[in-house]
Amino acid sequence: LWSLWLGAGCLIVWYGCECRHWRQGATVALLVGCAALGAGWHHRWWWNVAADHVASYARFEPQLVRLRGTLADEPTIIPKPERRGVQAIPQYDRTLCTLRCQELLEGEHAHHVSGLARLEVTGHALHARSGDEVLIVGHFSRPQGARNPGGFDFANYLRTSGQHVVVRCAEPDAVAVVQRHSRWLQTTQRQLRLACEPVSYTHLR
C-alpha cells in the first residue's frame, strides 16, 4: 500500500514541478512515481490474493473438480508440436484461455471463489467465447516451478498474469456453456482488434 501512496505523491510533485518548469525535479519525481506504482502493481499480482482465492483449494497433485466461471479472453488454439518418427506419447492440439473463477463444486458443497486460472483443453474448444459463463470438469492443480536450476519456471510465468492454478480438461465437451455473453460487444471488440493489429505490426516491427 505504501508504494501506491508514494507513487501518487510523486505524481503530484511531478505536476507541481511541471507547472513551475522545474524539469530536473519533474523528471526525478516521474521516475520515482512510476517505479513505486510498478512495485505496487507487481505486489498486487504476485502476493496479494483474497481469502477466497481459488489457489487456496489447489494442491500440486491434480484433483478432479467442477469449476464454474467466466472466460476472461478468447480461446486460442495451440497446434501440436511437429515431430518425426514414432511418438511414445500422442500429441494433440490444445485450446488455451483464462478463466475468471466464481464457484468450486465439491460433491454437494459449493465454495465461492475468486481469482484467475489457466484453462487447458485437449482439442478445439471453440464453442465457448470470451465473456461466456461456463461449467468445467477437469483436473485442478497448482503449476510446478522450475524442475532444474536455471530452468523455465512455469509457476512464475503464470503468476505474472495473476494465474495461480491450472485446470486441464481431457476433451472440449468438458467445458459446458451455462450462459452466453452479449455478442454485439464481443463482435465490436474483435473488429477493433483486427483493425488495430496490422497498424501495430507496421509501426512496431
Side-chain angles (χ1 to χ4, degrees):
L1 183 60
W2 65 266
S3 60
L4 299 180
W5 283 110
L6 176 60
C10 288
L11 293 180
I12 293 174
V13 173
W14 165 77
Y15 180 76
C17 292
E18 278 291 330
C19 292
R20 292 171 174 79
H21 303 287
W22 296 345
R23 300 299 183 188
Q24 187 173 3
T27 301
V28 173
L30 181 61
L31 291 176
V32 175
C34 290
L37 292 176
W41 182 260
H42 176 270
H43 178 80
R44 176 182 180 273
W45 282 111
W46 201 259
W47 300 110
N48 190 21
V49 295
D52 64 347
H53 199 283
V54 67
S56 61
Y57 295 92
R59 301 190 295 266
F60 287 107
E61 299 78 17
Q63 52 185 321
L64 186 63
V65 297
R66 291 183 298 155
L67 189 63
R68 185 174 63 85
T70 303
L71 298 187
D73 53 22
E74 285 292 323
T76 302
I77 301 298
I78 306 298
K80 64 180 180 181
E82 295 184 1
R83 297 182 180 178
R84 297 180 179 179
V86 180
Q87 298 181 9
I89 301 177
Q91 300 291 325
Y92 303 96
D93 293 350
R94 295 181 301 153
T95 304
L96 301 182
C97 63
T98 302
L99 178 71
R100 184 174 291 107
C101 303
Q102 298 172 349
E103 193 174 43
L104 180 66
L105 305 172
E106 293 182 323
E108 298 180 354
H109 302 283
H111 307 280
H112 174 78
V113 294
S114 62
L116 301 177
R118 175 185 170 99
L119 176 61
E120 301 182 2
V121 183
T122 300
H124 293 199
L126 298 180
H127 59 286
R129 308 300 294 267
S130 176
D132 289 347
E133 183 180 333
V134 295
L135 178 62
I136 296 169
V137 178
H139 286 87
F140 171 74
S141 65
R142 285 181 175 268
Q144 295 287 343
R147 298 181 180 273
N148 299 305
F152 177 68
D153 194 322
F154 184 56
N156 282 352
Y157 168 75
L158 293 183
R159 205 169 185 178
T160 57
S161 301
Q163 301 172 4
H164 295 259
V165 297
V166 178
V167 184
R168 294 183 172 92
C169 301
E171 58 183 5
D173 289 342
V175 180
V177 177
V178 177
Q179 184 174 356
R180 293 287 184 183
H181 181 61
S182 176
R183 285 287 174 254
W184 71 267
L185 178 60
Q186 180 180 334
T187 302
T188 302
Q189 291 175 337
R190 187 182 303 111
Q191 291 174 346
L192 288 174
R193 183 171 61 252
L194 292 176
C196 292
E197 283 179 354
V199 177
S200 301
Y201 177 79
T202 302
H203 293 280
L204 297 179
R205 63 177 177 176

